[in-house]
Amino acid sequence: MSAVLFVTNGHGEAAIAKRIARDVRGLAPLATEHFGLVGEGLGGADFPDVGPQRAMPSGGLVAMGNVRAFARDLGAGWLGLFAAQVRFLRSVRRRYALVVAVGDAYAAALTRMTRLPWIFVGTAKSEYVSPYAEIERRVVVAAKRIFVRDAATAAALRRRGLRAEAPGNVIVDLLVEERGYDWPRPVRIALLPGSRERAYADAERIAAIVDRVAARVPGVAAVMSLAPNLEPARFGPVFERHPAIAAWPGGIGGILAGATLAIGQAGTANEAAAASGVPVVALELSGDRRDGWYRMRQERLLAEAMVVVPGEPEAATEAIVALLNDRARLARMAAAGRERMGPGGGAAAIAQAVVELVWPPA
């Protein structure tokens, strides 16, 4: 059996890779394995993790000059991890038929070290936020196929000589669920604390605000998504202090279906909510570097589909209550999210490209 390696550099990127890998296995008897440059334990039974992986304090959020976060990673042993990851990638040439880099130019640059045929799935950059820089284009141009997240980005890269494609947004494909949450009340709030270490603290912040909202808006039901890489037991105190909030360990599509609003501090999950036509509220936390480059990026990407409100509980409650009472604005946000995120179908198209390159084996 031939094998395909997926290299990712983020939690959302790992979820996207897992979805593509599932479609690959549905098309051909290919083994699919996962090498996460960021985080650990993000694969699964049919998508086993390989190579040296370790969770870093930053959770991978070290872009745009975030020197403090990078310094923490260095103190936690990032240089040794990086060296081990490079050694692993240089050793896999006879083990895999193809490598799929999912993420940004960093993942692509390390993937090139395998000296194997590879595909690039660009998830981080968009013309809506910031274009691919010249150095990034030079890295990804060597890929056999280049897939990006939206048509505007693909068109911009093609104008610069890259064979970029945008067959559909894989984030939309993540929303397909066999089982959905059975909402008990009409005002349905999905809570998305994210998948990084700070999700435990963010869950408490969000829950406290939801309690205040529920005291002012009749008919509120709230359910919190628990990312599979996190420890459910560590969320226990949140549900003990806020018993009206339910836990959801399943796929995120299960709670977004039918949701009125999402309150999210997440990355990919916030984007998935927008793609589902669910308006997104994010909390602005004082002193949080994400409120600089990371939240700015997401605001530009999601445009009117997301609103950032003050993180202070009273101010956040006022903003969320006002939004829930403004049906016209909710409708505009829903439409904006669907338009900006675009249609699905990307996972199937990328999986087909993978299979075409490696099956049947030579």
Side-chain angles (χ1 to χ4, degrees), residues 95-281:
R95 182 171 173 178
Y96 300 102
L98 181 75
V99 185
V100 182
V102 182
D104 58 18
Y106 176 74
L110 266 64
T111 293
R112 291 182 62 164
M113 294 181 180
T114 65
R115 296 172 294 166
L116 285 164
W118 63 290
I119 286 174
F120 177 61
V121 180
T123 63
K125 285 294 188 86
S126 168
E127 286 292 300
Y128 294 127
V129 182
S130 62
Y132 281 85
E134 181 179 356
I135 190 171
E136 294 171 314
R137 298 195 300 270
R138 289 182 177 181
V139 171
V140 305
V141 70
K144 295 291 186 183
R145 301 281 292 271
I146 299 170
F147 296 98
V148 292
R149 60 180 301 146
D150 52 63
T153 305
L157 290 176
R158 287 196 295 269
R159 288 195 296 269
R160 292 169 173 84
L162 278 70
R163 305 175 312 279
E165 308 167 59
N169 194 332
V170 183
I171 292 175
V172 179
D173 301 327
L174 297 178
L175 302 172
V176 179
E177 291 293 326
E178 295 180 0
R179 180 173 66 98
Y181 182 68
D182 186 13
W183 290 97
R185 290 186 289 279
V187 182
R188 303 163 175 181
I189 303 179
L191 311 181
L192 313 174
S195 59
R196 292 178 170 83
E197 176 65 25
R198 66 167 302 141
Y200 305 110
D202 282 347
E204 175 60 39
R205 292 187 184 95
I206 294 171
I209 291 168
V210 169
D211 282 352
R212 289 170 172 259
V213 171
R216 295 181 52 184
V217 177
V220 167
V223 59
M224 182 173 292
S225 172
L226 306 185
N229 63 296
L230 298 179
E231 302 172 42
R234 291 183 62 184
F235 288 98
V238 175
F239 298 111
E240 290 173 7
R241 285 190 287 267
H242 310 278
I245 295 175
W248 177 257
I252 191 172
I255 61 170
L256 293 177
T260 308
L261 185 76
I263 303 176
Q265 296 300 91
T268 300
N270 280 14
E271 295 175 30
S276 297
V278 178
V280 181
V281 172

Side-chain angles (χ1 to χ4, degrees), residues 3 89-97 114-116:
L89 288 168
R90 287 176 171 169
S91 73
V92 302
R93 191 171 185 182
R94 296 184 180 180
R95 182 171 173 178
Y96 300 102
T114 65
R115 296 172 294 166
L116 285 164

Side-chain angles (χ1 to χ4, degrees), residues 22-67:
R22 189 180 81 183
D23 280 10
V24 167
R25 295 191 302 272
L27 292 172
L30 293 166
T32 55
E33 297 182 343
H34 174 243
F35 179 40
L37 301 172
V38 171
E40 59 184 338
L42 301 176
D46 293 326
F47 195 48
D49 290 297
V50 297
Q53 303 178 26
R54 191 189 317 161
M56 289 283 113
S58 73
L61 300 180
V62 295
M64 298 297 288
N66 196 341
V67 177

